[in-house]
Amino acid sequence: SGYAIFDEDKLISYGKWSSNGTHSTERISQTKSWIACMIEKWKPDLVVLEDIQLQKFGEDGQEGVLTFKKLAALQGVLKNYCFESGIIYKIVSPSTWRAHSEIKGKSRTDKKKNAQLKVKRLYDISVTQDEADAVLIGAWAVNDRQNSKMISFI
């Protein structure tokens, strides 16, 4: 998984993290612990997670369904952690953040490569595919926050 940390509209940190667990439940637990450490370190006022998509792969498409179920479980755990920690979170679909960053391509590979090129143009850094996605999701979130209005009820 890629991550990006923004302070206002400035990219201040980015990277890639992966679990070494052997079972999906262990990987989910490790990811939750990692997110908890990141939240403790950076104290964000917003966490943005990319929404999951059902992608068909494998001979009968079953591998895609199993991956989707595991990602849904992970997303639920992360949403719940943010909720219980009082951290505001948003879920953004890949098509939404890609449209904001004008990422096009016929294949997933084309879109991933174009995201890397966009990050290189915007921030003059070379990043992995996961890092590029995370940085552009962060850029979407910065733009979304600047365009939203705060409503207070007294």
Side-chain angles (χ1 to χ4, degrees):
S1 295
Y3 68 89
I5 310 292
F6 282 78
D7 186 2
E8 299 297 328
D9 62 347
K10 304 277 189 281
L11 175 64
I12 58 171
S13 183
Y14 64 92
K16 189 173 174 180
W17 182 85
S18 62
S19 165
N20 61 5
T22 56
H23 187 273
S24 63
T25 303
E26 183 180 12
R27 291 190 300 274
I28 288 170
S29 177
Q30 290 173 349
T31 302
K32 177 185 171 190
S33 294
W34 175 76
I35 288 282
C37 289
M38 292 293 284
I39 287 172
E40 179 63 28
K41 176 180 180 178
W42 294 101
K43 304 203 182 333
D45 55 1
L46 174 68
V47 170
V48 180
L49 304 169
E50 184 180 40
D51 205 358
I52 58 175
Q53 293 181 320
L54 178 58
Q55 297 180 9
K56 295 181 181 177
F57 58 93
E59 288 183 25
D60 58 1
Q62 283 300 101
E63 289 180 55
V65 171
L66 294 174
T67 299
F68 182 81
K69 289 169 71 173
K70 290 173 186 176
L71 290 173
L74 172 62
Q75 187 180 73
V77 167
L78 297 180
K79 287 170 57 175
N80 182 260
Y81 178 79
C82 288
F83 173 77
E84 288 181 348
S85 300
I87 301 290
I88 297 169
Y89 68 88
K90 286 187 177 186
I91 306 294
V92 62
S93 72
S95 60
T96 298
W97 70 258
R98 284 186 183 130
H100 170 261
S101 293
E102 301 175 332
I103 301 301
K104 295 179 176 31
K106 290 187 179 196
S107 69
R108 182 176 187 267
T109 303
D110 290 342
K111 292 173 188 171
K112 294 283 190 179
K113 183 65 178 169
N114 290 334
Q116 287 176 291
L117 294 170
K118 181 76 171 198
V119 169
K120 179 68 173 168
R121 280 193 306 273
L122 289 174
Y123 300 98
D124 196 26
I125 54 175
S126 296
V127 293
T128 67
Q129 292 177 349
D130 287 342
E131 290 168 334
D133 289 356
V135 168
L136 294 178
I137 289 168
W140 169 83
V142 166
N143 182 70
D144 186 61
R145 290 192 77 161
Q146 290 172 348
N147 291 329
S148 63
K149 304 258 188 252
M150 181 62 78
I151 299 174
S152 297
F153 293 94
I154 299 176

